[in-house]
Amino acid sequence: AQRVTQPEKLLSVFKGAPVELKCNYSYSGSPELFWYVQYSRQRLQLLLRHISRESIKGFTADLNKGETSFHLKKPFAQEEDSAMYYCALKGSNYKLTFGKGTLLTVNP
Amino acid sequence: GAGVSQSPRYKVAKRGQDVALRCDPISGHVSLFWYQQALGQGPEFLTYFQNEAQLDKSGLPSDRFFAERPEGSVSTLKIQRTQQEDSAVYLCASSSERASTDTQYFGPGTRLTVL
């Protein structure tokens, strides 16, 4: 079975502060990990995927197979980063398994 | 270009009514997915189509749920005899090629409220 855990439902930081959204997963094989973001009144959209190893909007995430984690990080949060963030896992098939999400609020 | 569209955006049904939710995927996308997102939860997989073939319906919660994609483009998710526990946002996603390799693009969702 595959499972994704996002331990924080809510995360609040000040503008310019570092931010880390935690994601842990459970999967017996080699997963593909994603971060999806949903801004207010917008649809769910892909932020980044671990196989791309790229930085999007200043966010990065590294897959740590030893700790089974894929935490999302940004060194300096901006107000426009306020959104709902979902970590998702794709196993050997096509299904995406999502965590429950973390609502990030960046205060001015 | 146009993304995935869904209609209606909001649906209120009385318990026991049948509902039909429509998804228009990105043109040419082979794979289509339906997810259910209950309040405070992440999306949960319902079913998967590759063209017109429904390859996986393991996530459908009961036999009251039925999905089709007869011509390999538009898909409809039908819920018969709706119950209060069916209240959720229903998301459709599509991807261009084999679903195991490509990014899934999501629609805006249909919010179903069953009274």
Side-chain angles (χ1 to χ4, degrees):
Chain A
Q2 50 196 63
R3 188 171 68 245
V4 175
T5 303
Q6 293 180 251
E8 304 139 329
K9 290 189 72 172
L10 303 170
L11 184 62
S12 182
V13 301
F14 285 102
K15 176 182 173 182
V19 63
E20 181 179 52
L21 290 87
K22 291 184 167 51
C23 172
N24 289 89
Y25 67 89
S26 173
Y27 183 68
S28 56
S30 293
E32 188 173 355
L33 274 294
F34 304 80
W35 277 98
Y36 277 82
V37 61
Q38 187 167 26
Y39 300 101
S40 180
R41 290 185 289 277
Q42 294 188 26
R43 65 186 64 193
L44 199 61
Q45 58 186 285
L46 180 66
L47 180 62
L48 53 81
R49 56 197 302 179
H50 91 270
I51 60 172
S52 301
R53 301 186 65 81
E54 56 190 346
S55 173
I56 304 293
K57 298 184 179 182
F59 285 97
T60 60
D62 290 317
L63 179 61
N64 185 322
K65 292 187 178 180
E67 296 183 357
T68 59
S69 69
F70 188 59
H71 302 327
L72 183 68
K73 300 177 184 178
K74 184 169 182 176
F76 307 103
Q78 303 299 314
E79 289 180 67
E80 55 265 30
D81 296 329
S82 295
M84 194 75 179
Y85 291 81
Y86 295 94
C87 182
L89 177 154
K90 187 192 291 183
S92 59
N93 58 25
Y94 38 78
K95 295 181 187 179
L96 281 175
T97 299
F98 287 85
K100 293 186 178 183
T102 298
L103 179 62
L104 173 66
T105 302
V106 181
N107 300 297
Chain B
V4 178
S5 61
Q6 293 185 244
S7 60
R9 293 292 313 278
Y10 303 90
K11 177 70 179 178
V12 178
K14 292 183 179 178
R15 191 173 54 170
Q17 279 186 326
D18 298 349
V19 299
L21 312 180
R22 176 187 169 109
C23 172
D24 284 81
I26 293 172
S27 178
H29 274 197
V30 167
S31 297
L32 186 145
F33 307 81
W34 284 98
Y35 292 85
Q36 180 190 58
Q37 186 173 18
L39 190 64
Q41 305 293 316
E44 292 191 2
F45 171 83
L46 292 178
T47 187
Y48 162 56
F49 289 86
Q50 191 172 91
N51 295 307
E52 69 278 3
Q54 188 175 22
L55 299 187
D56 187 339
K57 53 182 180 180
S58 63
L60 296 177
S62 77
D63 58 7
R64 296 186 295 103
F65 286 70
F66 172 76
E68 59 183 6
R69 193 185 185 198
E71 297 178 358
S73 56
V74 171
S75 177
T76 304
L77 176 66
K78 297 179 180 179
I79 310 173
Q80 297 177 323
R81 304 181 303 283
T82 53
Q83 303 295 314
Q84 284 190 320
E85 62 263 28
D86 300 336
S87 296
V89 175
Y90 290 86
L91 297 170
C92 177
S94 69
S95 64
S96 62
E97 297 179 359
R98 288 180 59 233
S100 61
T101 59
D102 199 37
T103 299
Q104 295 182 27
Y105 295 90
F106 283 81
T110 294
R111 182 178 297 277
L112 172 65
T113 302
V114 181
L115 303 176

